């Protein structure tokens, strides 16, 4: 027992606006947390929200040295707070997905012999060929996306192989842009890292491999063979395979910690570095999603995370390799019309009151007497469409619903869409499936009841503040356990669980079965009518 509470595991999260750390002990209890805010703690880099939005409005970058300096500050803060580094058994972490870091020729040597008397920021000043790293908010690479899709035979072909069609923020397209516009910098580059593998490299004192899960967000990796696709590499930039090196499983122990941290912070020599991954994969670990589970985050935008065994990549949505089980996959689906649309309908149909909104849900029948509504106030991501569409039980267009019908149509429509899209990607509800709900609207039981009824599964709520960071502390624990053959679920079994919120209403399945089919049909119909 003493061994369990005596050991610490660290999870770092290099996110867009801040660097965070969570320490847990061997009983998976959080013992320490800290963070560094880029804008306020590092004002010299003049970022807003951790990024620089360039004059063209579409180029978005972050200074790579800001991330390095943030790590110096965070570790100093932990020292001042009395954190006992000597007990740390393993570290892991996550980074905002898709962003890329360009290490200059010779940087590997520098990483391998860091002087513990100096800060990382000073030591790594000259290690980057590109100072301003492109990040996920960048949308300047439309032309490179077209080229990449063309090179592999189209959007669906690229999706079939890499799990996603070409996206502007995805790393291949960012690398292609750097090669095209800054060829000298590209040629000076010895290694290209993702934000996650860059951060792991700092701890390892050597270049860290890109992990399969974050590597799936690049439009470069074949998610089935887990190797770089030659066609994608060639279409992106020359000599790319050697600049990326081979990806590795997300649960890999990459090696022992760099002597720099042993000497400077008193961390143990045998402390291990477990592969870092993307923040969304990190969150899946933090939520402890299991096979058959679905997590629904109901925020400004709605996001769905799925655990999938046999994925069917579609041009809408992303399939990534699963960060905690290398035989599985995870899918991510993003919706733009989330809370803002729910608030608009609440304002228009429930006098701005969530209570009245809930009353309307409780007093209207499951299945809304066959009425279906599709509400895309802003151009939706999944699917790409805009406008408000209402249908009666015979699929006839209607121009308005009563307020009560409108409220239920919105909530049912949003959840029917999520189930239809999830199943298109290969998701299946199985015995024991849980729906994990998070985000603002997850505190409304009447909304959760509809969610539970549409998925015919119990809904649990979880606190996901810092889920990526916590998930990576769990992954640090699992990295060591995996070497002894233990699964992630077994390794983190003792962690605090999710709270049961609601169970499906008996009979709901019968009502929603036909509605799911109709929703899929009606969405297709809208897309056909509105596509140019
Ligand atoms: C996912 C994505 C964002 C970033 C944010 O595809 O682009 O969620 O990972 O950190």
């Amino acid at each position: 027992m003493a061994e369990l509470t005596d050991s610490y595991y660290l999870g770092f999260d290099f996110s867009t606006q801040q660097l965070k750390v969570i320490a847990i002990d061997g009983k998976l209890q959080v013992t320490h947390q800290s963070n560094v805010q880029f804008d306020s703690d590092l004002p010299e880099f003049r970022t807003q929200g951790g990024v620089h939005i360039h004059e063209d409005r579409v180029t978005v970058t972050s200074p790579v040295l800001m991330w390095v300096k943030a790590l110096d500050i965070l570790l100093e803060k932990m020292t001042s707070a009395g954190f006992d580094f000597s007990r740390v058994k393993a570290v892991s972490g996550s980074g905002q997905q898709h962003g890329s870091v360009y290490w200059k020729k010779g940087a590997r040597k520098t990483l391998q012999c860091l002087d513990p008397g100096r800060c990382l920021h000073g030591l790594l000043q000259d290690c980057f060929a590109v100072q301003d790293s492109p990040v996920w908010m960048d949308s300047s690479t439309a032309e490179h996306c077209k080229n990449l899709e063309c090179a592999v035979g189209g959007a669906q072909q690229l999706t079939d192989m890499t799990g996603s069609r070409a996206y502007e923020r995805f790393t291949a397209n960012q690398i292609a842009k750097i090669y095209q516009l800054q060829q000298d910098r590209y040629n000076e580059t010895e290694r290209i890292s993702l934000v996650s593998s860059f951060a792991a490299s700092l701890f390892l004192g050597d270049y860290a491999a890109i992990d399969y899960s974050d590597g799936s967000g690049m439009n470069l990796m074949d998610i089935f063979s887990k190797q770089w696709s030659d066609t994608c590499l060639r279409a992106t930039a020359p000599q790319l395979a050697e600049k990326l090196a081979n990806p590795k499983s997300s649960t890999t122990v990459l090696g022992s910690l760099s002597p720099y941290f042993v000497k400077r912070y008193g961390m143990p020599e045998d402390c291990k570095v477990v592969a870092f991954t993307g923040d969304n994969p990190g969150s899946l670990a933090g939520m402890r999603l299991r096979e058959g589970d679905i997590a629904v985050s109901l925020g400004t935008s709605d996001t769905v995370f799925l655990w999938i065994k046999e994925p069917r990549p579609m041009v809408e949505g992303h399939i990534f390799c699963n960060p905690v089980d290398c035989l599985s996959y995870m899918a991510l689906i993003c919706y733009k019309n989330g809370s803002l649309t729910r608030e608009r309908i609440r304002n228009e149909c429930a006098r701005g009151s969530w209570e009245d909104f809930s009353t309307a849900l409780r007093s209207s029948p499951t299945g809304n007497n066959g009425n279906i509504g599709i509400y895309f106030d802003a151009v939706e991501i999944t699917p790409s469409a805009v406008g408000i569409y209402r249908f009666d039980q015979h699929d006839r267009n209607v121009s308005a619903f009563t307020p009560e019908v409108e409220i239920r149509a919105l909530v049912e429509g949003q959840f029917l869409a999520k189930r239809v899209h999830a199943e298109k990607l290969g998701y299946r509800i199985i015995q024991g499936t849980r729906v994990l709900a998070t985000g603002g609207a997850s505190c409304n039981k009447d909304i959760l009841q509809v969610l539970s009824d549409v998925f015919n599964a119990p809904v649990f709520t979880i606190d996901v503040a810092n889920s990526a960071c916590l998930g990576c502390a769990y992954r640090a624990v699992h990295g060591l356990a995996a070497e002894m053959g233990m699964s992630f679920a077994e390794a983190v079994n003792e962690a605090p669980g999710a709270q049961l919120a609601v169970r499906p209403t008996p009979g709901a399945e019968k009502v929603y079965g036909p509605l799911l089919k109709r929703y899929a049909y009606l969405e297709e119909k809208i897309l056909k009518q509105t596509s140019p």
Side-chain angles (χ1 to χ4, degrees):
M1 269 317 174
E3 157 80 353
L4 284 180
T5 39
D6 274 0
S7 316
Y8 290 153
Y9 300 84
L10 296 181
F12 291 87
D13 179 29
F14 287 71
S15 70
T16 315
Q17 306 201 28
Q18 59 178 328
L19 167 61
K20 277 176 277 182
V21 65
I22 286 184
I24 57 173
D25 62 21
K27 289 179 145 181
L28 311 173
Q29 297 297 316
V30 174
T31 59
H32 186 90
Q33 307 197 38
S34 190
N35 66 71
V36 170
Q37 300 291 328
F38 299 141
D39 294 358
S40 51
D41 293 328
L42 292 155
E44 62 275 34
F45 291 97
R46 297 170 183 275
T47 55
Q48 275 185 348
V51 301
H52 294 140
I53 302 181
H54 295 223
E55 249 171 44
D56 63 4
R57 312 299 300 162
V58 285
T59 302
V60 185
T61 59
S62 291
V64 60
L65 284 166
M66 176 180 78
W67 295 330
V68 176
K69 199 164 181 183
L71 181 57
D72 285 328
I73 297 178
L74 186 70
L75 295 172
E76 291 306 331
K77 258 178 125 170
M78 291 173 79
T79 308
S80 310
F83 181 76
D84 184 356
F85 282 105
S86 72
R87 297 196 202 168
V88 179
K89 290 264 180 297
V91 304
S92 189
S94 61
Q96 50 173 303
Q97 292 199 261
H98 321 297
S100 43
V101 170
Y102 300 79
W103 298 92
K104 202 193 262 180
K105 287 191 176 139
R108 178 175 220 158
K109 279 234 165 67
T110 310
L111 269 178
Q112 285 170 338
C113 39
L114 296 168
D115 170 4
R118 296 176 58 199
C119 61
L120 288 172
H121 175 247
L123 291 165
L124 299 177
Q125 278 291 326
D126 297 323
C127 280
F128 301 99
V130 175
Q131 298 293 321
D132 294 308
S133 282
V135 297
W136 66 279
M137 292 166 75
D138 185 283
S139 54
S140 65
T141 64
E143 181 196 326
H144 305 94
C145 289
K146 251 195 233 145
N147 291 344
L148 183 60
E149 287 184 352
C150 247
V152 298
Q156 186 61 51
Q157 277 81 348
L158 185 65
T159 310
D160 288 342
M161 185 160 52
T162 70
S164 300
R165 70 167 172 76
Y167 284 92
E168 290 164 318
R169 66 189 192 285
F170 274 45
T171 326
N173 310 304
Q174 296 296 336
I175 295 173
K177 179 182 165 192
I178 297 228
Y179 172 65
Q180 195 181 56
L181 298 183
Q182 306 183 59
Q183 207 154 327
D184 294 351
R185 304 283 170 91
Y186 181 82
N187 292 334
E188 271 174 46
T189 300
E190 177 170 83
R191 179 63 68 97
I192 301 175
S193 293
L194 292 176
V195 177
S196 55
S197 60
F198 143 80
S201 305
L202 300 178
F203 287 99
L204 196 61
D206 199 351
Y207 292 145
I210 290 174
D211 75 295
Y212 294 155
S213 197
D214 210 13
S216 321
M218 300 173 77
N219 279 150
L220 281 176
M221 197 182 77
D222 179 328
I223 57 166
F224 298 101
S225 69
K226 299 177 169 70
Q227 289 176 350
W228 304 125
S229 141
D230 281 336
T231 324
C232 295
L233 289 174
R234 267 199 308 276
T236 303
Q239 277 104 46
L240 188 49
E242 66 206 53
K243 292 190 200 292
L244 291 172
N246 288 337
K248 285 197 177 151
S249 160
S250 311
T251 60
T252 310
V253 173
L254 297 172
S256 294
L257 195 68
S258 155
Y260 175 85
F261 298 93
V262 177
K263 298 199 181 109
R264 191 173 169 93
Y265 295 101
M267 292 171 86
E269 258 173 44
D270 61 352
C271 172
K272 300 296 182 210
V273 180
V274 176
F276 281 39
T277 191
D279 56 356
N280 290 302
S283 282
L284 175 137
M287 295 187 280
R288 295 196 295 135
L289 215 68
R290 306 190 295 236
E291 184 177 347
D293 283 354
I294 172 167
V296 179
S297 160
L298 300 168
T300 310
S301 56
D302 288 352
T303 312
V304 171
F305 288 74
L306 308 163
W307 180 301
I308 298 191
K309 264 309 223 211
E310 286 169 22
R312 281 200 306 244
M314 301 283 292
V315 291
E316 282 146 0
H318 307 299
I319 306 277
F320 300 137
C321 293
N322 190 299
V324 298
D325 172 6
C326 63
L327 298 177
S328 297
Y329 292 85
M330 68 175 277
L332 194 70
I333 318 175
C334 303
Y335 298 89
K336 213 185 270 175
N337 295 287
S339 281
L340 297 180
T341 311
R342 287 187 287 273
E343 280 162 25
R344 176 179 71 76
I345 301 280
R346 177 204 60 185
N347 293 344
E348 289 172 11
C349 300
R351 298 177 304 130
S353 147
W354 283 123
E355 234 163 80
D356 290 4
F357 189 93
S358 280
T359 309
L361 281 178
R362 281 196 302 272
S363 50
S364 50
T366 305
N368 217 6
N369 290 322
N371 293 300
I372 290 183
I374 300 182
Y375 302 81
F376 302 140
D377 286 357
V379 179
E380 188 46 89
I381 300 171
T382 323
S384 167
V386 68
I388 313 294
Y389 307 88
R390 298 181 187 85
F391 304 91
D392 68 8
Q393 55 179 323
H394 304 293
D395 294 343
R396 288 183 301 227
N397 284 87
V398 286
S399 57
F401 285 148
T402 62
E404 221 170 66
V405 174
E406 181 95 324
I407 288 171
R408 182 165 273 278
L410 167 72
V411 179
E412 287 189 346
Q414 289 188 331
F415 295 147
L416 286 167
K418 290 175 176 62
R419 183 159 168 192
V420 165
H421 300 147
E423 290 184 344
K424 271 195 187 170
L425 287 169
Y427 173 72
R428 292 289 162 264
I429 291 173
I430 58 172
Q431 183 82 26
T433 280
R434 301 174 306 163
V435 181
L436 306 180
T438 72
S442 68
C443 61
N444 183 320
K445 278 220 162 151
D446 299 291
I447 292 181
L448 296 188
Q449 187 64 59
V450 181
L451 178 60
S452 178
D453 291 347
V454 169
F455 279 85
N456 192 36
V459 173
F460 293 76
T461 50
I462 35 169
D463 174 14
V464 288
N466 304 323
S467 61
C469 205
L470 180 62
C472 289
Y474 291 162
R475 291 178 54 255
V477 173
H478 177 230
L480 303 191
E483 294 204 312
M484 294 177 287
M486 215 186 265
S487 72
F488 181 75
E490 285 163 348
V492 299
N493 189 29
E494 302 283 299
Q499 305 293 315
L500 177 66
V502 286
R503 290 189 179 282
T505 314
E509 195 186 1
K510 272 217 178 79
V511 177
Y512 287 114
L515 281 179
L516 284 161
K517 290 207 181 84
R518 282 185 54 215
Y519 188 94
Y521 160 78
L522 292 168
E523 188 185 273
E524 282 287 316
K525 193 166 126 177
I526 292 171
L527 288 178
K528 274 197 197 119
Q529 278 168 1
T530 54
S531 61

